[in-house]
């Protein structure tokens, strides 16, 4: 993924609700088998960013 795509994905994560993020995560996981080996690194990055956003939200709720 290029930097602009990553930036837009992070912006989407920050503005999306928990259910929308989880639906997108499930969609990505469902498509894993059909993604080429070259694209899997982008998929893993997307999943890692999703996980980081979810953990950040959990931490904010815990502290707030």
């Amino acid at each position: 993924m290029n930097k602009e795509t990553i930036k837009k994905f992070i912006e989407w994560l920050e503005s999306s609700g928990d259910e929308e993020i989880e639906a997108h995560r499930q969609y990505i996981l469902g498509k894993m088998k059909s993604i080429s080996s070259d694209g899997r690194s982008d998929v893993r990055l997307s999943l890692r960013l999703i996980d980081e956003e979810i953990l950040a939200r959990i931490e904010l709720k815990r502290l707030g």
Side-chain angles (χ1 to χ4, degrees):
M1 245 188 286
N2 65 38
K3 289 182 182 181
E4 188 62 29
T5 303
I6 294 169
K7 182 179 175 182
K8 295 227 181 262
F9 188 73
I10 291 171
E11 289 172 1
W12 174 81
L13 278 172
E14 291 174 348
S15 65
S16 297
D18 294 344
E19 292 175 7
E20 186 178 4
I21 292 172
E22 183 56 29
H24 193 74
R25 183 178 183 279
Q26 292 303 318
Y27 175 79
I28 292 171
L29 290 171
K31 296 290 183 178
M32 281 290 281
K33 291 181 182 176
S34 63
I35 296 172
S36 68
S37 58
D38 292 337
R40 289 205 176 124
S41 63
D42 289 342
V43 170
R44 285 192 300 271
L45 174 59
S46 297
L47 291 171
R48 190 168 50 250
L49 291 170
I50 287 172
D51 290 345
E52 288 175 7
E53 178 65 21
I54 291 169
L55 288 172
R57 290 178 185 204
I58 290 169
E59 186 66 16
L60 282 173
K61 288 177 186 176
R62 188 182 71 81
L63 294 174

